[in-house]
Amino acid sequence: MNAPETIVHDVARHAADFPILSRQVRGRRLAYLDNGATTQKPQAVIDALAGFYQESNANIHRGVHWLSQHSTDLYEQARERVRGLLNAADSQEIVFTAGTTGSINLVAQTWGVQHIGAGDEIIVTGMEHHSNIVPWQLLCERTGATLRPVNVTETGELDMDHFRSLLNGRTRLVAVAHVSNALGTINPVAEITRLAHQAGAHVLIDGAQAVAHQIVDVQALGCDFYAFSGHKIYGPTGTGALYVRASILADMPPWQGGGDMIRTVSFEGTTYAQGPQRFEAGTPNIAGAVVLGEAIEYVRGIGLDRIADHEEALLAEATECMQALPGIRIVGTSPHKAGILSFLVAGIHPHDLGTILDTEGVAIRAGHHCAMPLMSRFGIPGTARASFALYNTSEDIQALVAGVRKAQKLFGVGLDG
Ligand code: PMP
């Protein structure tokens, strides 16, 4: 059995794979704790990007020449790697997108437009990222449907009684974050899916903050759609994927028209490609998808279960250290949390705190975290947020705590502790 320290040490060994972590920022060792916004990239991923253009670049699904077939094979292999990451039943259930935002908008503009009409209801939650709110608001404006947000409790959990009371015969979709980017709460998405399906609704899970931090199994969850971003799982920006259950995908109308998404085109009428290609019009981000596949291999090589344990240990340590300081309020105190610590320091605005921490080489996020309704719920303009990744260490946490102490001294607050 591993002691938590052993797990922390073991996984964080891989920090050496990330060249950016050894650079200095403002003359200080970089403590990168803004992983909820984006993760750094290991050398294997950086090399894979250059490697693709050096060795494999050609357009996909079109050419008869060797290089085009080779690049198509790599692209489709990446699709298979995404399938493996999510444990989808078939790689044809995986659509490449530009990220979580792209994935959610795709569902809203295709399946949503087809299945949601006036008088229908979409349930979201009060802790969603704007990208799992605004696409549904746009759809509601267009169709006359209504958005119903689930209340968030004082500890930053979903009020499941409220959720149950919102479900009814008009509910068409439940769109919920697997992990809250602002609070770290891991939502009971399997239970939510079960209840939603009982009520006849479909379920979309926003996995942006989950896939790099725990094992995800869409078949076990039973969800209909699962969205995530490549850049939050050590892959390139502008990449991501959407899982769509095969029976739903088969029936979804196309969204953007163009090359690659068709079967035949004529002025009498056009027919569309089957499978995920129907939603990948034009030349996609081929290199990005291939390199996302490499990032997935990298993460799975370390083991998402080990990464989850490591980040849980970091969260526990950071929570304890911060709670030991005077004037700290942690926002989001669910017992089920991923590696995200949102907090307020009495007498210091989160932006000022972020700026002072930056002078110490500590990178955190400060603000509303694209979750303004959640901030309103707590009656706060924003929080400071430290979010962990596989390469973080106790040293990063100590730098954070020392930086907060420094800020308190500068502001003349919290001096009693
Ligand atoms: N949902 C959640 C929970 C997120 O944390 C984020 C990114 N902060 C998004 C959606 C949007 O992801 P992207 O900007 O990569 O599309």
Side-chain angles (χ1 to χ4, degrees):
M1 213 185 75
N2 280 328
E5 292 75 18
T6 319
I7 296 166
V8 169
H9 177 74
D10 201 33
V11 170
R13 242 185 332 113
H14 295 280
D17 299 342
F18 293 77
I20 206 170
L21 297 178
S22 58
R23 69 157 296 167
Q24 292 210 322
V25 166
R26 302 195 187 282
R28 303 290 182 126
R29 172 186 174 277
L30 171 64
Y32 186 77
L33 295 170
D34 194 18
N35 297 288
T38 199
T39 52
Q40 299 302 347
K41 317 305 170 199
Q43 192 65 53
V45 164
I46 298 168
D47 288 346
L49 192 58
F52 176 81
Y53 285 115
Q54 277 164 9
E55 300 272 335
S56 310
N57 180 51
N59 212 330
I60 55 167
H61 295 148
R62 295 166 202 214
V64 290
H65 60 84
W66 186 89
L67 213 46
S68 174
Q69 284 169 14
H70 175 56
S71 124
T72 303
D73 288 348
L74 291 179
Y75 186 76
E76 293 304 324
Q77 180 191 60
R79 198 188 303 280
E80 171 58 26
R81 287 173 168 177
V82 174
R83 184 209 65 73
L85 178 75
L86 302 180
N87 194 33
D90 193 322
S91 64
Q92 293 302 294
E93 297 178 312
I94 305 298
V95 182
F96 281 119
T97 67
T100 310
T101 305
S103 297
I104 296 173
N105 277 281
L106 193 161
V107 176
Q109 298 300 319
T110 58
W111 181 88
V113 167
Q114 189 183 33
H115 289 280
I116 294 175
D120 287 342
E121 297 183 5
I122 300 170
I123 296 181
V124 293
T125 85
M127 66 171 82
E128 296 311 307
H129 188 281
H130 296 161
S131 66
N132 202 22
I133 298 174
V134 184
W136 307 120
Q137 285 179 321
L138 291 169
L139 181 64
C140 287
E141 278 170 22
R142 184 166 160 183
T143 60
T146 308
L147 203 59
R148 300 248 179 257
V150 180
N151 291 341
V152 175
T153 68
E154 204 50 38
T155 55
E157 292 169 288
L158 294 178
D159 178 341
M160 289 297 282
D161 288 337
H162 186 231
F163 171 59
R164 282 188 201 87
S165 76
L166 289 179
L167 278 171
N168 67 69
R170 302 301 302 173
T171 312
R172 294 283 162 268
L173 178 75
V174 177
V176 57
H178 197 161
V179 173
S180 157
N181 67 309
L183 303 169
T185 313
I186 303 173
N187 288 319
V189 284
E191 171 75 352
I192 287 171
T193 302
R194 199 181 57 77
L195 293 167
H197 282 172
Q198 263 174 19
H202 282 61
V203 176
L204 176 141
I205 300 176
D206 169 355
Q209 297 294 340
V211 288
H213 310 285
Q214 59 177 278
I215 292 171
V216 171
D217 182 336
V218 291
Q219 294 187 75
L221 292 174
C223 59
D224 302 292
F225 308 99
Y226 195 98
F228 78 92
S229 303
H231 70 99
K232 295 189 199 273
I233 183 166
Y234 312 102
T237 52
T239 69
L242 171 70
Y243 158 79
V244 186
R245 182 198 297 281
S247 54
I248 297 170
L249 190 135
D251 207 33
M252 263 166 52
W255 183 23
Q256 294 177 327
D260 243 25
M261 52 75 71
I262 52 87
R263 185 185 281 162
T264 62
V265 178
S266 76
F267 288 113
E268 287 68 47
T270 288
T271 58
Y272 305 110
Q274 295 302 301
Q277 258 180 267
R278 187 154 77 251
F279 306 100
E280 295 175 5
T283 302
N285 185 355
I286 306 166
V290 170
V291 178
L292 169 58
E294 291 299 324
I296 290 170
E297 286 299 285
Y298 174 82
V299 169
R300 296 187 80 196
I302 295 171
L304 277 157
D305 47 350
R306 292 174 68 229
I307 293 171
D309 285 346
H310 171 65
E311 292 174 2
E312 195 182 321
L314 287 171
L315 177 70
E317 183 183 338
T319 305
E320 200 182 315
C321 291
M322 293 298 285
Q323 273 171 339
L325 298 181
I328 302 291
R329 172 179 162 202
I330 292 174
V331 183
T333 51
S334 164
H336 308 291
K337 277 178 69 172
I340 287 174
L341 186 66
S342 241
F343 60 96
L344 293 164
V345 182
I348 310 179
H349 192 281
H351 281 140
D352 292 330
L353 180 68
T355 306
I356 293 165
L357 287 172
D358 178 54
T359 64
E360 300 295 306
V362 180
I364 61 148
R365 202 80 176 166
H368 55 62
H369 315 297
C370 296
M372 285 172 127
L374 181 67
M375 298 299 122
S376 304
R377 151 69 182 85
F378 283 103
I380 53 179
T383 70
R385 181 190 74 183
S387 48
F388 305 110
L390 67 90
Y391 38 67
N392 288 123
T393 60
S394 298
E395 210 180 333
D396 296 327
I397 293 171
Q398 292 321 316
L400 170 70
V401 172
V404 171
R405 275 315 266 160
K406 183 177 174 190
Q408 288 184 316
K409 286 197 183 102
L410 280 171
F411 275 75
V413 295
L415 298 174
D416 48 319

